[in-house]
Amino acid sequence: MSQGGDRAKRSRATRAALVGGTLLAALVLSGCATGPVSAAAGGHRHTPHRSSPTSRPPRPTPTPSIPATPAVVGFDKAAQSTVDPASTWVVVNKPRALDPITYVPADLTYPDVRYVNHQPMRQETAAALVAMFQAGKAEAGLDFSVQSAYRSFESQTGVYDDDVARNGQAYADTDTARPGHSEHQTGLAVDISAVPAQCSLDACFGETPQGRWLAANAWRFGFILRYPADKVAVTGFTFEPWHFRYIGTPLAAQLHATGVTTLEEFFAIPGGPSY
Ligand code: ZN
């Protein structure tokens, strides 16, 4: 669904202010808080560009195809563990279970947001999610809810076994992760829905204003759209435009800047549809 109608109704000044706010938020959240723009960010959020020599914003709103921050040369891919389930860089997929397989995060919390299913998430995930939801509201007038978040090994076992009982294992393995292989067990994954609900847990969520905004902006808050439409063979999971995985802003910004869209490709870790 196009947002062109809404855009046409906005005044140029309003649009410029929104773009300016987006840029500042992006720069601050992506780790550039020590850069020259941060001084302006600490002052009047929506007006810094008006005092510059040119009254127009220097760059458009960040999108996946227009990196707002350059890739870090020599980015240390070994800075954090991709095996430790408590690491925000942990990679779990079909051939790669969590270790230990019954891992439970130690810092689960419920952020003050809207929920469809009242499920917790890790504290770092929660803080980033709150910031992302607030930015989506402030910049685009959008509302979001948590469809689902943390699922324990036991609850994932229930979901998977139920799917197998109803649809058979072959089918279940295409749409439900086996216990120990779900990102939801890490407390770092959140399924996000639109408010009011529209296309929840459906591929068409990607075409909603919320889905589009998240796809373009989640990286600024340390999240990635974990299962892109064109990477099913890499991730082993079908397109899930509602499933966002927290990885922290340095890594998310690096992925965004380099154009790499999966953890498997970035870290050269096997994935795919087979357990
Ligand atoms: Zn999910």
Side-chain angles (χ1 to χ4, degrees), residues 29 88 105 107-115 119-135 146 148-150 186-190 192 221-223 244-248:
L29 287 163
T88 54
D107 60 347
L108 292 173
T109 188
Y110 295 89
D112 184 16
V113 296
R114 302 182 205 202
Y115 292 86
Q119 297 176 343
M121 62 197 75
R122 289 191 57 193
Q123 288 179 6
E124 204 172 341
T125 312
L129 187 83
V130 167
M132 184 163 71
F133 282 9
Q134 289 177 343
V146 171
S148 58
Y150 169 70
T186 66
L188 300 169
V190 184
I192 300 173
F221 306 90
F223 288 90
F244 288 86
R245 159 67 193 276
Y246 182 74
I247 55 175

